[in-house]
């Protein structure tokens, strides 16, 4: 708790909300891979959020 969280790679925040339940504060980022595929990464149980939906990481 209290440690910074860093995205696994460059991307766009597509969700950043406090769900007030099992996941708590949740951030979802979509990443565009070099082979033209997309993948998503999720960061849950965050103590605080310094990003908002639409931010580029």
């Amino acid at each position: 708790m209290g440690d910074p969280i860093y995205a696994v790679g460059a991307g766009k925040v597509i969700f950043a909300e406090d769900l007030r339940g099992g996941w708590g504060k949740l951030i979802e980022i979509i990443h565009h891979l070099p082979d033209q595929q997309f993948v998503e990464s999720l960061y849950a149980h965050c103590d605080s959020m310094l990003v908002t939906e639409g931010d580029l990481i």
Side-chain angles (χ1 to χ4, degrees):
M1 183 127 160
D3 290 336
I5 299 170
Y6 298 98
V8 297
K12 181 177 181 178
V13 177
I14 59 171
F15 187 87
E17 259 183 56
D18 187 350
L19 298 178
R20 301 192 187 277
W23 289 76
K25 293 179 178 84
L26 176 70
I27 299 168
E28 184 175 0
I29 301 173
I30 192 161
H31 309 274
H32 188 190
L33 301 178
D35 66 0
Q36 305 307 314
Q37 292 186 42
F38 291 93
V39 295
E40 297 175 5
S41 59
L42 299 174
Y43 307 86
H45 308 289
C46 302
D47 188 42
S48 62
M49 293 190 292
L50 303 177
V51 297
T52 58
E53 190 173 317
D55 285 353
L56 297 176
I57 304 295

Tab-separated table of all heavy atoms in Angstrom:
chain	number	residue	atom	x	y	z
A	1	MET	N	0.845	-1.177	0.000
A	1	MET	CA	0.000	0.000	0.000
A	1	MET	C	0.887	1.235	0.000
A	1	MET	O	1.868	1.305	0.727
A	1	MET	CB	-0.904	-0.026	1.218
A	1	MET	CG	-1.848	1.100	1.241
A	1	MET	SD	-3.488	0.439	1.431
A	1	MET	CE	-4.302	1.861	2.026
A	2	GLY	N	0.542	2.175	-0.863
A	2	GLY	CA	1.299	3.406	-0.934
A	2	GLY	C	2.399	3.400	-1.976
A	2	GLY	O	2.975	4.444	-2.269
A	3	ASP	N	2.713	2.221	-2.546
A	3	ASP	CA	3.743	2.160	-3.587
A	3	ASP	C	3.169	2.675	-4.902
A	3	ASP	O	1.995	2.450	-5.211
A	3	ASP	CB	4.225	0.726	-3.794
A	3	ASP	CG	5.040	0.204	-2.636
A	3	ASP	OD1	5.617	1.023	-1.897
A	3	ASP	OD2	5.099	-1.026	-2.460
A	4	PRO	N	3.974	3.357	-5.720
A	4	PRO	CA	3.470	3.828	-7.013
A	4	PRO	C	3.186	2.652	-7.943
A	4	PRO	O	3.823	1.610	-7.864
A	4	PRO	CB	4.602	4.701	-7.558
A	4	PRO	CG	5.805	4.326	-6.781
A	4	PRO	CD	5.351	3.742	-5.478
A	5	ILE	N	2.218	2.859	-8.825
A	5	ILE	CA	1.864	1.864	-9.834
A	5	ILE	C	2.204	2.466	-11.188
A	5	ILE	O	1.827	3.597	-11.489
A	5	ILE	CB	0.364	1.522	-9.777
A	5	ILE	CG1	0.003	0.948	-8.416
A	5	ILE	CG2	-0.010	0.562	-10.902
A	5	ILE	CD1	-1.494	0.817	-8.197
A	6	TYR	N	2.929	1.705	-12.001
A	6	TYR	CA	3.309	2.170	-13.328
A	6	TYR	C	2.660	1.277	-14.378
A	6	TYR	O	2.583	0.065	-14.212
A	6	TYR	CB	4.833	2.128	-13.495
A	6	TYR	CG	5.555	3.029	-12.525
A	6	TYR	CD1	6.107	2.519	-11.361
A	6	TYR	CD2	5.663	4.390	-12.776
A	6	TYR	CE1	6.759	3.344	-10.458
A	6	TYR	CE2	6.313	5.224	-11.878
A	6	TYR	CZ	6.864	4.701	-10.730
A	6	TYR	OH	7.511	5.524	-9.842
A	7	ALA	N	2.216	1.879	-15.478
A	7	ALA	CA	1.625	1.120	-16.576
A	7	ALA	C	2.681	0.212	-17.201
A	7	ALA	O	3.859	0.557	-17.238
A	7	ALA	CB	1.063	2.068	-17.634
A	8	VAL	N	2.238	-0.929	-17.706
A	8	VAL	CA	3.164	-1.870	-18.346
A	8	VAL	C	3.696	-1.338	-19.674
A	8	VAL	O	4.692	-1.834	-20.177
A	8	VAL	CB	2.524	-3.265	-18.552
A	8	VAL	CG1	2.168	-3.896	-17.234
A	8	VAL	CG2	1.324	-3.180	-19.460
A	9	GLY	N	3.018	-0.355	-20.246
A	9	GLY	CA	3.458	0.220	-21.509
A	9	GLY	C	2.608	1.422	-21.859
A	9	GLY	O	1.644	1.759	-21.169
A	10	ALA	N	2.959	2.077	-22.946
A	10	ALA	CA	2.212	3.243	-23.407
A	10	ALA	C	0.790	2.856	-23.768
A	10	ALA	O	0.531	1.743	-24.239
A	10	ALA	CB	2.914	3.865	-24.612
A	11	GLY	N	-0.152	3.757	-23.534
A	11	GLY	CA	-1.540	3.477	-23.868
A	11	GLY	C	-2.451	4.623	-23.526
A	11	GLY	O	-2.000	5.728	-23.208
A	12	LYS	N	-3.750	4.343	-23.569
A	12	LYS	CA	-4.776	5.340	-23.285
A	12	LYS	C	-5.678	4.818	-22.170
A	12	LYS	O	-6.132	3.668	-22.214
A	12	LYS	CB	-5.607	5.615	-24.540
A	12	LYS	CG	-6.670	6.660	-24.340
A	12	LYS	CD	-7.403	6.938	-25.639
A	12	LYS	CE	-8.449	8.010	-25.447
A	12	LYS	NZ	-9.134	8.329	-26.706
A	13	VAL	N	-5.944	5.660	-21.177
A	13	VAL	CA	-6.836	5.296	-20.076
A	13	VAL	C	-8.262	5.272	-20.620
A	13	VAL	O	-8.754	6.277	-21.137
A	13	VAL	CB	-6.718	6.294	-18.902
A	13	VAL	CG1	-7.700	5.938	-17.805
A	13	VAL	CG2	-5.291	6.342	-18.371
A	14	ILE	N	-8.899	4.104	-20.541
A	14	ILE	CA	-10.279	3.996	-21.034
A	14	ILE	C	-11.280	3.863	-19.899
A	14	ILE	O	-12.484	3.913	-20.122
A	14	ILE	CB	-10.429	2.835	-22.046
A	14	ILE	CG1	-10.037	1.503	-21.443
A	14	ILE	CG2	-9.637	3.128	-23.308
A	14	ILE	CD1	-10.370	0.304	-22.323
A	15	PHE	N	-10.786	3.716	-18.666
A	15	PHE	CA	-11.667	3.627	-17.509
A	15	PHE	C	-10.865	3.996	-16.270
A	15	PHE	O	-9.747	3.517	-16.092
A	15	PHE	CB	-12.215	2.197	-17.362
A	15	PHE	CG	-13.252	2.056	-16.290
A	15	PHE	CD1	-14.582	2.297	-16.556
A	15	PHE	CD2	-12.884	1.684	-15.005
A	15	PHE	CE1	-15.542	2.160	-15.551
A	15	PHE	CE2	-13.840	1.546	-14.012
A	15	PHE	CZ	-15.173	1.783	-14.278
A	16	ALA	N	-11.408	4.854	-15.439
A	16	ALA	CA	-10.774	5.225	-14.171
A	16	ALA	C	-11.871	5.663	-13.213
A	16	ALA	O	-12.375	6.781	-13.310
A	16	ALA	CB	-9.754	6.341	-14.373
A	17	GLU	N	-12.271	4.746	-12.324
A	17	GLU	CA	-13.379	5.021	-11.412
A	17	GLU	C	-13.198	4.271	-10.112
A	17	GLU	O	-12.535	3.228	-10.071
A	17	GLU	CB	-14.709	4.564	-12.030
A	17	GLU	CG	-15.522	5.672	-12.625
A	17	GLU	CD	-16.849	5.157	-13.147
A	17	GLU	OE1	-17.619	4.542	-12.374
A	17	GLU	OE2	-17.105	5.369	-14.328
A	18	ASP	N	-13.834	4.779	-9.076
A	18	ASP	CA	-13.888	4.079	-7.797
A	18	ASP	C	-15.162	3.236	-7.786
A	18	ASP	O	-16.263	3.773	-7.710
A	18	ASP	CB	-13.901	5.068	-6.640
A	18	ASP	CG	-13.794	4.400	-5.283
A	18	ASP	OD1	-13.897	3.155	-5.206
A	18	ASP	OD2	-13.600	5.117	-4.295
A	19	LEU	N	-15.010	1.924	-7.903
A	19	LEU	CA	-16.167	1.031	-7.963
A	19	LEU	C	-16.724	0.710	-6.583
A	19	LEU	O	-17.751	0.073	-6.464
A	19	LEU	CB	-15.795	-0.260	-8.700
A	19	LEU	CG	-15.364	-0.069	-10.152
A	19	LEU	CD1	-14.984	-1.403	-10.773
A	19	LEU	CD2	-16.459	0.607	-10.954
A	20	ARG	N	-16.010	1.106	-5.538
A	20	ARG	CA	-16.466	0.936	-4.155
A	20	ARG	C	-16.935	-0.486	-3.855
A	20	ARG	O	-17.984	-0.715	-3.303
A	20	ARG	CB	-17.584	1.899	-3.825
A	20	ARG	CG	-17.212	3.335	-3.982
A	20	ARG	CD	-18.263	4.219	-3.349
A	20	ARG	NE	-18.031	5.603	-3.628
A	20	ARG	CZ	-17.196	6.366	-2.937
A	20	ARG	NH1	-16.527	5.863	-1.940
A	20	ARG	NH2	-17.040	7.627	-3.261
A	21	GLY	N	-16.169	-1.424	-4.221
A	21	GLY	CA	-16.536	-2.807	-3.962
A	21	GLY	C	-15.308	-3.676	-4.045
A	21	GLY	O	-14.223	-3.274	-3.660
A	22	GLY	N	-15.481	-4.837	-4.601
A	22	GLY	CA	-14.398	-5.797	-4.678
A	22	GLY	C	-13.150	-5.297	-5.377
A	22	GLY	O	-12.042	-5.668	-5.033
A	23	TRP	N	-13.301	-4.419	-6.379
A	23	TRP	CA	-12.141	-3.928	-7.140
A	23	TRP	C	-11.636	-2.586	-6.626
A	23	TRP	O	-10.533	-2.188	-6.949
A	23	TRP	CB	-12.507	-3.789	-8.619
A	23	TRP	CG	-12.678	-5.096	-9.296
A	23	TRP	CD1	-13.753	-5.938	-9.185
A	23	TRP	CD2	-11.773	-5.741	-10.172
A	23	TRP	NE1	-13.565	-7.062	-9.957
A	23	TRP	CE2	-12.352	-6.955	-10.568
A	23	TRP	CE3	-10.528	-5.401	-10.681
A	23	TRP	CZ2	-11.718	-7.835	-11.441
A	23	TRP	CZ3	-9.904	-6.277	-11.543
A	23	TRP	CH2	-10.505	-7.489	-11.913
A	24	GLY	N	-12.440	-1.850	-5.892
A	24	GLY	CA	-12.025	-0.532	-5.402
A	24	GLY	C	-11.783	0.422	-6.549
A	24	GLY	O	-12.506	0.431	-7.539
A	25	LYS	N	-10.755	1.240	-6.415
A	25	LYS	CA	-10.391	2.175	-7.488
A	25	LYS	C	-9.733	1.375	-8.620
A	25	LYS	O	-8.726	0.727	-8.415
A	25	LYS	CB	-9.450	3.251	-6.962
A	25	LYS	CG	-10.113	4.180	-5.964
A	25	LYS	CD	-9.123	5.219	-5.468
A	25	LYS	CE	-9.779	6.173	-4.510
A	25	LYS	NZ	-9.806	5.655	-3.139
A	26	LEU	N	-10.320	1.471	-9.811
A	26	LEU	CA	-9.885	0.652	-10.942
A	26	LEU	C	-9.480	1.539	-12.116
A	26	LEU	O	-10.189	2.483	-12.459
A	26	LEU	CB	-11.022	-0.275	-11.384
A	26	LEU	CG	-10.771	-1.140	-12.608
A	26	LEU	CD1	-9.739	-2.220	-12.294
A	26	LEU	CD2	-12.062	-1.780	-13.083
A	27	ILE	N	-8.340	1.225	-12.711
A	27	ILE	CA	-7.858	1.917	-13.905
A	27	ILE	C	-7.660	0.867	-14.994
A	27	ILE	O	-7.054	-0.168	-14.758
A	27	ILE	CB	-6.525	2.645	-13.629
A	27	ILE	CG1	-6.725	3.698	-12.533
A	27	ILE	CG2	-5.981	3.269	-14.908
A	27	ILE	CD1	-5.433	4.254	-11.983
A	28	GLU	N	-8.180	1.163	-16.183
A	28	GLU	CA	-8.028	0.260	-17.333
A	28	GLU	C	-7.360	1.036	-18.463
A	28	GLU	O	-7.777	2.146	-18.798
A	28	GLU	CB	-9.395	-0.255	-17.776
A	28	GLU	CG	-9.347	-1.261	-18.877
A	28	GLU	CD	-10.724	-1.823	-19.205
A	28	GLU	OE1	-11.723	-1.435	-18.567
A	28	GLU	OE2	-10.786	-2.656	-20.114
A	29	ILE	N	-6.314	0.450	-19.025
A	29	ILE	CA	-5.549	1.084	-20.099
A	29	ILE	C	-5.539	0.163	-21.309
A	29	ILE	O	-5.360	-1.047	-21.171
A	29	ILE	CB	-4.100	1.361	-19.648
A	29	ILE	CG1	-4.099	2.281	-18.423
A	29	ILE	CG2	-3.280	1.983	-20.775
A	29	ILE	CD1	-2.735	2.477	-17.794
A	30	ILE	N	-5.738	0.743	-22.496
A	30	ILE	CA	-5.645	-0.035	-23.730
A	30	ILE	C	-4.303	0.307	-24.388
A	30	ILE	O	-3.887	1.465	-24.430
A	30	ILE	CB	-6.839	0.234	-24.673
A	30	ILE	CG1	-6.857	-0.795	-25.800
A	30	ILE	CG2	-6.856	1.638	-25.202
A	30	ILE	CD1	-8.178	-0.930	-26.503
A	31	HIS	N	-3.638	-0.745	-24.869
A	31	HIS	CA	-2.308	-0.611	-25.465
A	31	HIS	C	-2.354	-1.110	-26.910
A	31	HIS	O	-2.930	-2.158	-27.188
A	31	HIS	CB	-1.289	-1.466	-24.694
A	31	HIS	CG	-1.302	-1.238	-23.223
A	31	HIS	ND1	-0.580	-0.231	-22.623
A	31	HIS	CD2	-1.963	-1.889	-22.219
A	31	HIS	CE1	-0.778	-0.280	-21.310
A	31	HIS	NE2	-1.609	-1.266	-21.053
A	32	HIS	N	-1.753	-0.350	-27.819
A	32	HIS	CA	-1.670	-0.719	-29.236
A	32	HIS	C	-0.301	-1.354	-29.455
A	32	HIS	O	0.725	-0.690	-29.304
A	32	HIS	CB	-1.848	0.529	-30.092
A	32	HIS	CG	-1.979	0.259	-31.534
A	32	HIS	ND1	-1.938	1.257	-32.464
A	32	HIS	CD2	-2.166	-0.872	-32.240
A	32	HIS	CE1	-2.087	0.751	-33.672
A	32	HIS	NE2	-2.222	-0.542	-33.554
A	33	LEU	N	-0.289	-2.612	-29.819
A	33	LEU	CA	0.966	-3.342	-30.004
A	33	LEU	C	1.540	-3.119	-31.406
A	33	LEU	O	0.812	-2.753	-32.328
A	33	LEU	CB	0.727	-4.839	-29.777
A	33	LEU	CG	0.192	-5.233	-28.403
A	33	LEU	CD1	-0.040	-6.732	-28.345
A	33	LEU	CD2	1.130	-4.783	-27.300
A	34	PRO	N	2.843	-3.351	-31.570
A	34	PRO	CA	3.474	-3.166	-32.887
A	34	PRO	C	2.844	-4.007	-33.999
A	34	PRO	O	2.884	-3.618	-35.164
A	34	PRO	CB	4.923	-3.589	-32.648
A	34	PRO	CG	5.148	-3.410	-31.191
A	34	PRO	CD	3.831	-3.700	-30.543
A	35	ASP	N	2.251	-5.159	-33.654
A	35	ASP	CA	1.631	-6.019	-34.678
A	35	ASP	C	0.175	-5.639	-34.957
A	35	ASP	O	-0.586	-6.418	-35.502
A	35	ASP	CB	1.750	-7.490	-34.292
A	35	ASP	CG	0.956	-7.842	-33.039
A	35	ASP	OD1	0.306	-6.936	-32.454
A	35	ASP	OD2	0.989	-9.013	-32.629
A	36	GLN	N	-0.216	-4.431	-34.537
A	36	GLN	CA	-1.552	-3.861	-34.772
A	36	GLN	C	-2.650	-4.447	-33.885
A	36	GLN	O	-3.822	-4.141	-34.085
A	36	GLN	CB	-1.956	-3.955	-36.247
A	36	GLN	CG	-0.960	-3.319	-37.200
A	36	GLN	CD	-0.612	-1.871	-36.852
A	36	GLN	OE1	-1.479	-1.081	-36.581
A	36	GLN	NE2	0.676	-1.561	-36.844
A	37	GLN	N	-2.310	-5.296	-32.931
A	37	GLN	CA	-3.298	-5.811	-31.986
A	37	GLN	C	-3.441	-4.843	-30.824
A	37	GLN	O	-2.590	-3.985	-30.591
A	37	GLN	CB	-2.864	-7.180	-31.456
A	37	GLN	CG	-2.888	-8.271	-32.490
A	37	GLN	CD	-2.592	-9.608	-31.858
A	37	GLN	OE1	-3.071	-9.919	-30.782
A	37	GLN	NE2	-1.772	-10.403	-32.540
A	38	PHE	N	-4.522	-4.994	-30.092
A	38	PHE	CA	-4.761	-4.210	-28.889
A	38	PHE	C	-4.845	-5.147	-27.697
A	38	PHE	O	-5.420	-6.236	-27.801
A	38	PHE	CB	-6.079	-3.428	-29.000
A	38	PHE	CG	-6.033	-2.316	-30.007
A	38	PHE	CD1	-6.434	-2.526	-31.313
A	38	PHE	CD2	-5.579	-1.059	-29.648
A	38	PHE	CE1	-6.401	-1.515	-32.250
A	38	PHE	CE2	-5.532	-0.026	-30.572
A	38	PHE	CZ	-5.949	-0.258	-31.883
A	39	VAL	N	-4.300	-4.733	-26.578
A	39	VAL	CA	-4.450	-5.455	-25.320
A	39	VAL	C	-4.800	-4.437	-24.242
A	39	VAL	O	-4.539	-3.236	-24.384
A	39	VAL	CB	-3.177	-6.240	-24.917
A	39	VAL	CG1	-2.880	-7.345	-25.894
A	39	VAL	CG2	-1.989	-5.326	-24.774
A	40	GLU	N	-5.388	-4.930	-23.159
A	40	GLU	CA	-5.764	-4.060	-22.048
A	40	GLU	C	-5.030	-4.493	-20.794
A	40	GLU	O	-4.749	-5.679	-20.604
A	40	GLU	CB	-7.272	-4.136	-21.816
A	40	GLU	CG	-8.085	-3.646	-22.991
A	40	GLU	CD	-9.575	-3.833	-22.780
A	40	GLU	OE1	-9.995	-4.260	-21.676
A	40	GLU	OE2	-10.325	-3.557	-23.715
A	41	SER	N	-4.739	-3.527	-19.945
A	41	SER	CA	-4.184	-3.836	-18.628
A	41	SER	C	-5.092	-3.196	-17.577
A	41	SER	O	-5.664	-2.128	-17.800
A	41	SER	CB	-2.742	-3.337	-18.495
A	41	SER	OG	-2.656	-1.947	-18.700
A	42	LEU	N	-5.249	-3.892	-16.459
A	42	LEU	CA	-6.107	-3.432	-15.364
A	42	LEU	C	-5.271	-3.232	-14.110
A	42	LEU	O	-4.384	-4.035	-13.818
A	42	LEU	CB	-7.201	-4.454	-15.066
A	42	LEU	CG	-8.187	-4.775	-16.175
A	42	LEU	CD1	-9.098	-5.916	-15.748
A	42	LEU	CD2	-9.007	-3.558	-16.524
A	43	TYR	N	-5.602	-2.184	-13.375
A	43	TYR	CA	-4.932	-1.881	-12.117
A	43	TYR	C	-6.033	-1.626	-11.090
A	43	TYR	O	-6.778	-0.650	-11.210
A	43	TYR	CB	-4.019	-0.653	-12.278
A	43	TYR	CG	-3.070	-0.826	-13.440
A	43	TYR	CD1	-3.455	-0.479	-14.737
A	43	TYR	CD2	-1.822	-1.394	-13.256
A	43	TYR	CE1	-2.601	-0.678	-15.813
A	43	TYR	CE2	-0.961	-1.603	-14.328
A	43	TYR	CZ	-1.362	-1.238	-15.595
A	43	TYR	OH	-0.512	-1.440	-16.652
A	44	ALA	N	-6.172	-2.523	-10.130
A	44	ALA	CA	-7.270	-2.451	-9.173
A	44	ALA	C	-6.735	-2.254	-7.757
A	44	ALA	O	-5.541	-2.399	-7.498
A	44	ALA	CB	-8.100	-3.727	-9.241
A	45	HIS	N	-7.644	-1.926	-6.856
A	45	HIS	CA	-7.335	-1.729	-5.441
A	45	HIS	C	-6.364	-0.567	-5.241
A	45	HIS	O	-5.543	-0.587	-4.328
A	45	HIS	CB	-6.768	-3.002	-4.801
A	45	HIS	CG	-7.603	-4.213	-5.020
A	45	HIS	ND1	-8.817	-4.396	-4.422
A	45	HIS	CD2	-7.404	-5.302	-5.817
A	45	HIS	CE1	-9.330	-5.545	-4.806
A	45	HIS	NE2	-8.501	-6.108	-5.664
A	46	CYS	N	-6.423	0.432	-6.132
A	46	CYS	CA	-5.516	1.579	-6.050
A	46	CYS	C	-5.873	2.449	-4.846
A	46	CYS	O	-7.050	2.672	-4.556
A	46	CYS	CB	-5.600	2.411	-7.325
A	46	CYS	SG	-5.220	1.496	-8.832
A	47	ASP	N	-4.852	2.958	-4.169
A	47	ASP	CA	-5.051	3.853	-3.032
A	47	ASP	C	-5.541	5.218	-3.510
A	47	ASP	O	-6.378	5.850	-2.877
A	47	ASP	CB	-3.729	3.976	-2.265
A	47	ASP	CG	-3.868	4.720	-0.965
A	47	ASP	OD1	-4.863	4.493	-0.250
A	47	ASP	OD2	-2.982	5.539	-0.663
A	48	SER	N	-5.013	5.686	-4.643
A	48	SER	CA	-5.448	6.941	-5.250
A	48	SER	C	-5.277	6.807	-6.763
A	48	SER	O	-4.629	5.887	-7.247
A	48	SER	CB	-4.632	8.122	-4.725
A	48	SER	OG	-3.270	7.971	-5.058
A	49	MET	N	-5.882	7.752	-7.504
A	49	MET	CA	-5.768	7.730	-8.962
A	49	MET	C	-5.291	9.100	-9.426
A	49	MET	O	-5.891	10.116	-9.075
A	49	MET	CB	-7.117	7.405	-9.604
A	49	MET	CG	-7.588	6.003	-9.333
A	49	MET	SD	-9.028	5.528	-10.314
A	49	MET	CE	-10.287	6.579	-9.622
A	50	LEU	N	-4.227	9.126	-10.211
A	50	LEU	CA	-3.675	10.369	-10.728
A	50	LEU	C	-3.982	10.544	-12.210
A	50	LEU	O	-3.433	11.439	-12.849
A	50	LEU	CB	-2.154	10.397	-10.489
A	50	LEU	CG	-1.715	10.247	-9.032
A	50	LEU	CD1	-0.198	10.217	-8.935
A	50	LEU	CD2	-2.291	11.356	-8.171
A	51	VAL	N	-4.834	9.677	-12.761
A	51	VAL	CA	-5.222	9.751	-14.172
A	51	VAL	C	-6.732	9.816	-14.280
A	51	VAL	O	-7.453	9.479	-13.335
A	51	VAL	CB	-4.708	8.520	-14.971
A	51	VAL	CG1	-3.196	8.470	-14.968
A	51	VAL	CG2	-5.282	7.230	-14.425
A	52	THR	N	-7.208	10.250	-15.435
A	52	THR	CA	-8.633	10.244	-15.735
A	52	THR	C	-8.841	9.616	-17.098
A	52	THR	O	-7.904	9.497	-17.896
A	52	THR	CB	-9.238	11.676	-15.730
A	52	THR	OG1	-8.532	12.471	-16.682
A	52	THR	CG2	-9.126	12.314	-14.353
A	53	GLU	N	-10.068	9.238	-17.375
A	53	GLU	CA	-10.396	8.620	-18.656
A	53	GLU	C	-9.987	9.545	-19.804
A	53	GLU	O	-10.237	10.755	-19.754
A	53	GLU	CB	-11.902	8.338	-18.713
A	53	GLU	CG	-12.321	7.499	-19.877
A	53	GLU	CD	-13.777	7.105	-19.802
A	53	GLU	OE1	-14.238	6.734	-18.711
A	53	GLU	OE2	-14.448	7.183	-20.847
A	54	GLY	N	-9.303	8.977	-20.787
A	54	GLY	CA	-8.855	9.738	-21.938
A	54	GLY	C	-7.391	10.139	-21.870
A	54	GLY	O	-6.809	10.519	-22.884
A	55	ASP	N	-6.783	10.057	-20.683
A	55	ASP	CA	-5.367	10.398	-20.552
A	55	ASP	C	-4.503	9.439	-21.359
A	55	ASP	O	-4.770	8.239	-21.411
A	55	ASP	CB	-4.905	10.335	-19.096
A	55	ASP	CG	-5.373	11.491	-18.249
A	55	ASP	OD1	-5.957	12.443	-18.807
A	55	ASP	OD2	-5.152	11.449	-17.020
A	56	LEU	N	-3.444	9.971	-21.976
A	56	LEU	CA	-2.452	9.143	-22.655
A	56	LEU	C	-1.319	8.900	-21.687
A	56	LEU	O	-0.814	9.829	-21.057
A	56	LEU	CB	-1.939	9.828	-23.924
A	56	LEU	CG	-2.980	10.082	-25.004
A	56	LEU	CD1	-2.363	10.842	-26.165
A	56	LEU	CD2	-3.598	8.782	-25.481
A	57	ILE	N	-0.918	7.648	-21.588
A	57	ILE	CA	0.136	7.245	-20.650
A	57	ILE	C	1.412	6.970	-21.422
A	57	ILE	O	1.383	6.322	-22.442
A	57	ILE	CB	-0.286	5.966	-19.880
A	57	ILE	CG1	-1.603	6.192	-19.168
A	57	ILE	CG2	0.785	5.522	-18.932
A	57	ILE	CD1	-1.570	7.228	-18.088
